[in-house]
Amino acid sequence: MRKGLIQATDSFERIVHWCLAISCLVLCFSGLGIMFHSLNFLGEPFGGLKSLKYIHNITALFFALSLFFAIGMWWKEAGIFVFPEDMDWIKSAGGYLWHVDQVPEVGKYNPGQKMFFLVVALGGAAMVFSGLIMLFPLSIPAMIVRLMYLLHAAGFVAIFAFFFIHLYLGTVGSPGSLPAMTTGWVTRAWLKKQHPKWLKEMEEHGTLVVYGEEKQEGHGHGH
């Protein structure tokens, strides 16, 4: 920790983020092991396929709880697109795919992050819903249950693909991003480049938390 770093996330946000990420990965790999005969070996370290199913179902409860907190915490900022600024960012791909002299300014979350959040939020909710019906089909018509298997598979494909895009953009693709979800603190230079509008908003509203600085009127406070 060094003086001048700015707080991007609090500890609760980071805990929810990592709980969601870890449970998502466990579900993806255990699900693959259950779904494909050629990948049944993934259950061997845990005592076989039956144990893998138990792990999958228990982790699903953990995932559902994390998802509940994530949606409640981030929907307002990450679940809603703001036009025209978000469309301007999308047209330039945020400068990730080709050189852009001036990337359109966005708030706390850029449209790419919003897309990923919506895939996880809506896809995750669909996975939880379809998974419950697959686990407890009861008197539900067989056609509906079969559709739930398709929905579960489609949700997996979407989340798994976006997961690795998110992983790349949160590390190698955008240097300086990872500390936001490890320590919670980022540099002013990174914030000014990636989220200039959010930086201005925090400065204007007096919510900016700068490490090593005493509380100042209109400039947030430090620890």
Side-chain angles (χ1 to χ4, degrees), residues 95 190 216:
W190 178 85
Q216 295 173 5

Side-chain angles (χ1 to χ4, degrees), residues 42-216:
L42 290 171
E44 287 174 12
F46 308 102
L49 208 54
K50 194 174 181 182
S51 297
L52 195 63
K53 286 178 181 176
Y54 279 126
I55 290 167
H56 189 80
N57 295 340
I58 291 166
T59 306
L61 293 173
F62 195 62
F63 174 80
L65 186 63
S66 303
L67 187 67
F68 173 80
F69 283 116
I71 291 173
M73 189 163 49
W74 289 316
W75 184 268
K76 192 177 176 183
E77 293 171 314
I80 300 165
F81 285 90
V82 179
F83 297 105
E85 62 188 55
D86 280 348
M87 184 53 70
D88 292 336
W89 189 96
I90 291 167
K91 285 176 183 173
S92 68
Y96 286 115
L97 302 181
W98 55 82
H99 176 72
V100 178
D101 290 326
Q102 185 64 46
V103 177
E105 291 192 5
V106 291
K108 187 173 183 179
Y109 300 104
N110 65 48
Q113 290 170 309
K114 289 179 180 181
M115 285 178 209
F116 176 68
F117 171 76
L118 286 171
V119 166
V120 172
L122 301 179
M127 295 287 275
V128 171
F129 176 72
S130 58
L132 280 170
I133 292 178
M134 287 159 63
L135 199 58
F136 307 108
L138 303 174
S139 57
I140 296 166
M143 179 62 77
I144 300 294
V145 177
R146 281 196 287 271
L147 281 173
M148 291 302 107
Y149 275 87
L150 281 173
L151 182 62
H152 211 69
F156 160 75
V157 170
I159 291 174
F160 203 56
F162 267 86
F163 186 94
F164 288 101
I165 295 169
H166 178 67
L167 184 65
Y168 170 75
L169 293 179
T171 53
V172 181
S174 180
S177 299
L178 189 59
M181 278 303 170
T182 52
T183 65
W185 299 84
V186 296
T187 64
R188 182 178 286 271
W190 178 85
L191 204 54
K192 200 170 182 179
K193 182 185 176 185
Q194 298 290 341
H195 303 276
K197 190 183 173 191
W198 182 37
L199 176 60
K200 287 175 191 170
E201 287 170 354
M202 287 193 290
E203 288 175 331
E204 287 169 7
H205 299 150
T207 55
L208 193 71
V209 179
V210 183
Y211 188 79
E213 284 189 12
E214 292 299 320
K215 186 174 181 180
Q216 295 173 5

